[in-house]
Amino acid sequence: MTIEDHYADLVARGVRLAAEDGRLRCTAVAGVLTDALLEEVSARKEELLAHLAERRVPLSFAQEQLWVAHRLDPVGSAYHEPALIEFDGPLHSAALRRALDAVYHRHEALRTVYPTYRGRPYQVVLDLRSCPLTAVDLTDLPAHAREEAARHEVEREARRPFDLGSGPLMRAALFTLDSERHQLLLTRHHIAGDGWSLGLLFGDLGDAYRAARADEHPTLPRNAVRYTDFAEWQRATRRDDPLGARGAERVRALRGAPTGLRLPVPETSRTTPATEPGEGHLAQTVTLRLEPRLADGIRTLAERGRVTPFTVLLTAYAIVLGRWCSQDDLLIGAPVAGRPRTEYEQVVGTFANLVPIRIRLDGAPGVDTLLHRVHTEVLAALEARDVPFAALVAQIAPGRGFDVDPLCQATFSLQNLPAAQAALPGLRTRLLPPPAVAPKGALTTIATPVDGGYDVTLTHDPARITDESARALADAFERVLRHAVARPEGAIAELASPDALRPLTESAPAVDEPRPEATATPPAGAAPDATRAPTTPTQRRLAALWRDLLALPQDETTDIHANFFDLGGDSIRLTQLLAWVMDSFGIDLPVRRIHELLDIASLASAVDAAVRRRDEEADAALVALVRDVEQLPEEELRKRLR
């Protein structure tokens, strides 16, 4: 067994290894480190220490998806997670700064950056440092202008791009409106933490501020495990089979399902050209209040059918989407917490996973029958909640394209955790609505239990769903729930009026249906069966990387016109390829051209053209510099050369 295999086996068993001053430290839960295993580790101690010194910590599957999304749109804000807190009272700014530093020190994910090596991202935890904090004093402005100025600055700061390669991936901005009124904006990139993490950050911030306010050192407890431990464990356990048995079962269950929703295209999108990455529109939100009486009916209906309120809400949501898109078979994504063990509950990081739930509306079922059908599917989907969504996508909808929301254009979740609270002693605090950022997907719906009822928010991409349509969806959702509660024995055809939403007649592409893809065109005159080997230096360099990324035989000649996806590639590997190319050649390839570069010949041509353009621009800049220097007076030139 190679040392790499041995290390991966140890990590998969839950053993955490670290090098400290030339010594090898091993920790694991009780019962894992048996005498036999310790003897095996001891025998290969020096090899393990050398491996630890050279290894690059991989990204978790969720992080890798977010990294790909960032490479496709490096200045976009879709995966920014802003949180805005207002403080009323005498805020001690120095104590707040110390508290933020304590939070930043405790949670390594906030100090982690993601450089690349040959296109592959890896994790680097930076040394302890202060949390980036910007102080903005607005008290010089007239009182009536401060609110608007604060709003403008908050929006600008929340949408300011992150650099995943150098960080920081969490930043803070404190806005002073008057001596006893402040707003604190915490903006994270989603790769540094999920929704659960926000509650941890707020709790730690309150504890650290309390200590700092009392002139004590704000020390927070040290985590027994780190996010990098989770990422390595996840990769090690799925090293040879990312899907596993449960994932393979889910693939079989999803065969034939639609790969998307046939959403009506807004009129403006039909005539307005798509924007460049980072220049996109902002997500829009429609809200809906389900009062306690209706919520009681939902819970009663759930008890009657021996299902959960989530199943009732999801079923109504599916009925509305099915009517709207003229589909009786659809996939809806359900975000789930992905923390495999209790020891990770205090770790900030992105653990959440997306579970695709297949809902069939065919056969004109009654409400009770459909609830049971959906409940059965929900249970089956949750059995595989730890199967990485990216692994499912790669298997059942191979990445012929870079969909912003593959498989699941609509998601639905029921918040069952206490709302995050930001409580600082001596201050009245409240969470303000966060500033809008770019949409993550076509439609994201969240139902939150509040005061006996449900607050429902539908966040949508205005380029794909109009505000009018989103409001119609929300109204139809409530109407379907009311009908289902009133007549649980009725058929679903009675729940929504055919005119409630505008349906489409086109069907959505199915999982097994091949997607359109760019295909390489052989040069004129080439023999149809001829092996087209690399000939230029650029083609040969790309062919070597091609074989490496796709695990092709090293002694086999690579066809420069072979399609990347046909050789076993996927969206993540193609993004890694392009990242390596741009870093290695020192060029920038526009993301919008990604579908034109699926073979070595096309990619090599694009690289050579970009290199020529870069060199020509550099030459022109040098000529301009020389011309400027020649025009300087002799005395000025001597002064500058001193």
Side-chain angles (χ1 to χ4, degrees):
M1 182 185 293
T2 66
I3 192 61
E4 184 177 348
D5 291 336
H6 181 53
Y7 177 81
D9 179 64
L10 290 171
V11 172
R13 296 188 192 195
V15 178
R16 295 187 295 277
L17 301 171
E20 293 182 354
D21 299 325
R23 301 173 61 186
L24 183 65
R25 182 170 62 86
C26 305
T27 57
V29 296
V32 172
L33 285 172
T34 62
D35 291 342
L37 187 58
L38 282 172
E39 184 177 345
E40 187 178 344
V41 170
S42 179
R44 306 193 70 170
K45 170 187 170 183
E46 297 303 325
E47 290 179 278
L48 287 169
L49 284 171
H51 181 71
L52 286 171
E54 297 176 358
R55 91 192 194 289
R56 295 180 175 87
V57 180
L59 277 61
S60 69
F61 285 97
Q63 285 180 315
E64 190 173 57
Q65 280 187 284
L66 293 165
W67 178 84
V68 168
H70 180 79
R71 292 297 300 215
L72 294 175
D73 188 6
V75 297
S77 63
Y79 292 97
H80 293 195
E81 302 289 337
L84 185 60
I85 317 166
E86 185 169 77
F87 303 129
D88 286 329
L91 175 69
H92 288 254
S93 300
L96 178 63
R97 181 180 290 274
R98 293 175 63 196
L100 286 168
D101 287 348
V103 173
Y104 206 58
H105 293 170
R106 180 188 184 191
H107 299 292
E108 289 187 352
L110 304 177
R111 294 181 282 109
T112 300
V113 294
Y114 305 89
T116 59
Y117 175 73
R118 292 178 66 84
R120 291 186 175 95
Y122 61 98
Q123 302 191 59
V124 174
V125 179
L126 301 179
D127 296 333
L128 296 182
R129 58 193 62 197
S130 294
C131 174
L133 175 63
T134 302
V136 180
D137 190 343
L138 302 174
T139 56
D140 288 341
L141 296 176
H144 68 274
R146 295 173 192 171
E147 291 282 353
E148 179 62 22
R151 184 190 64 78
H152 175 75
E153 290 296 325
V154 162
E155 291 176 349
R156 186 178 64 84
E157 175 64 17
R159 298 164 195 160
R160 185 159 60 90
F162 286 101
D163 184 342
L164 298 192
S166 60
L169 299 185
M170 186 185 86
R171 53 182 184 249
L174 180 64
F175 301 91
T176 301
L177 284 80
D178 60 46
S179 60
E180 295 204 352
R181 187 154 172 261
H182 299 77
Q183 291 181 1
L184 176 67
L185 175 68
L186 296 178
T187 308
R188 296 168 296 141
H189 193 281
H190 193 20
I191 202 171
D194 51 20
W196 179 299
S197 299
L198 183 60
L200 298 178
L201 294 178
F202 283 170
D204 284 350
L205 184 63
D207 292 342
Y209 181 81
R210 181 178 294 104
R213 179 72 181 81
D215 291 329
E216 300 173 2
H217 185 67
T219 302
L220 295 171
R222 183 177 179 179
N223 289 328
V225 293
R226 305 170 299 173
Y227 186 84
T228 49
D229 295 328
F230 165 76
E232 288 205 287
W233 170 83
Q234 187 188 52
R235 289 291 182 175
T237 54
R238 297 185 176 276
R239 187 180 184 199
D240 299 321
D241 184 8
L243 284 172
R246 288 178 176 174
E249 184 178 336
R250 288 306 297 159
V251 168
R252 289 191 292 271
L254 297 175
R255 289 292 184 195
T259 58
L261 298 174
R262 187 60 64 187
L263 300 170
V265 180
E267 291 295 332
T268 54
S269 296
R270 296 172 183 171
T271 56
T272 304
T275 58
E276 292 294 316
E279 298 178 359
H281 38 264
L282 300 176
Q284 302 295 319
T285 298
V286 167
T287 60
L288 173 68
R289 171 67 179 170
L290 304 179
E291 77 280 358
R293 183 176 178 181
L294 176 56
D296 288 340
I298 292 170
R299 288 185 280 269
T300 299
L301 180 59
E303 293 172 2
R304 178 180 182 273
R306 296 185 179 182
V307 300
T308 63
F310 171 76
T311 296
V312 175
L313 293 166
L314 177 63
T315 301
Y317 189 62
I319 291 171
V320 172
L321 287 178
R323 172 77 69 183
W324 195 41
C325 299
S326 291
Q327 293 178 223
D328 57 12
D329 188 5
L330 59 160
L331 290 177
I332 297 176
V336 296
R339 294 167 191 259
R341 299 192 297 270
T342 55
E343 59 187 326
Y344 286 110
E345 290 181 357
Q346 294 301 311
V347 177
V348 165
T350 180
F351 293 87
N353 192 27
L354 190 67
V355 174
I357 299 175
R358 185 176 188 177
I359 300 179
R360 299 172 186 263
L361 305 172
D362 56 309
V367 173
D368 286 338
T369 300
L370 184 58
L371 286 176
H372 177 73
R373 184 188 295 178
V374 173
H375 183 64
T376 301
E377 170 60 20
V378 168
L379 292 179
L382 292 180
E383 280 291 315
R385 63 192 301 154
D386 61 335
V387 177
F389 179 67
L392 284 175
V393 172
Q395 181 65 32
I396 65 179
R400 300 305 190 197
F402 284 84
D403 300 333
V404 291
D405 40 11
L407 288 189
C408 303
Q409 279 73 58
T411 64
F412 184 86
S413 59
L414 174 61
Q415 297 281 31
N416 54 8
L417 295 173
Q421 299 291 329
L424 271 62
L427 299 169
R428 294 180 300 279
T429 64
R430 66 186 181 109
L431 285 178
L432 300 178
V437 294
K440 290 183 177 66
L443 182 64
T444 302
T445 302
I446 302 174
T448 305
V450 177
D451 297 331
Y454 294 103
D455 285 346
V456 182
T457 60
L458 292 86
T459 303
H460 62 96
D461 180 350
R464 290 185 279 177
I465 299 175
T466 64
D467 290 344
E468 180 183 7
S469 294
R471 172 48 62 189
L473 280 168
D475 292 344
F477 178 56
E478 180 178 5
R479 185 164 52 253
V480 167
L481 284 169
R482 290 189 182 280
H483 282 293
V485 167
R487 295 194 58 201
E489 71 286 351
I492 65 169
E494 304 170 5
L495 298 184
S497 166
D499 297 326
L501 296 166
R502 181 180 61 178
L504 290 186
T505 56
E506 299 177 56
S507 61
V511 163
D512 295 316
E513 180 181 329
R515 290 181 169 190
E517 60 182 87
T519 56
T521 302
D529 57 350
T531 298
R532 297 180 288 279
T535 56
T536 70
T538 302
Q539 289 178 354
R540 285 191 286 270
R541 287 181 68 184
L542 292 176
L545 181 64
W546 215 265
R547 290 191 293 269
D548 183 23
L549 275 177
L550 300 177
L552 300 175
Q554 294 298 314
D555 58 350
E556 183 177 297
T557 302
T558 305
D559 184 348
I560 63 172
H561 293 289
N563 185 284
F564 188 81
F565 289 124
D566 289 341
L567 294 175
D570 54 34
S571 299
I572 289 176
R573 287 189 178 90
L574 181 56
T575 308
Q576 292 174 349
L577 170 68
L578 293 177
W580 179 86
V581 167
M582 289 189 281
D583 294 343
S584 178
F585 287 90
I587 59 175
D588 184 24
L589 293 176
V591 172
R592 63 180 179 274
R593 292 194 56 200
I594 203 165
H595 290 292
E596 303 172 17
L597 309 176
L598 297 181
D599 61 273
I600 292 174
S602 300
L603 183 55
S605 296
V607 168
D608 289 340
V611 169
R612 284 195 301 272
R613 190 162 54 249
R614 180 200 65 193
D615 293 345
E616 289 170 359
E617 291 173 355
D619 291 343
L622 180 60
V623 169
L625 177 61
V626 170
R627 184 175 61 250
D628 291 343
V629 169
E630 289 176 343
Q631 294 176 355
L632 288 174
E634 184 176 346
E635 183 178 345
E636 179 66 20
L637 182 59
R638 287 177 179 172
K639 185 186 300 182
R640 295 193 181 188
L641 292 176
R642 287 175 188 169

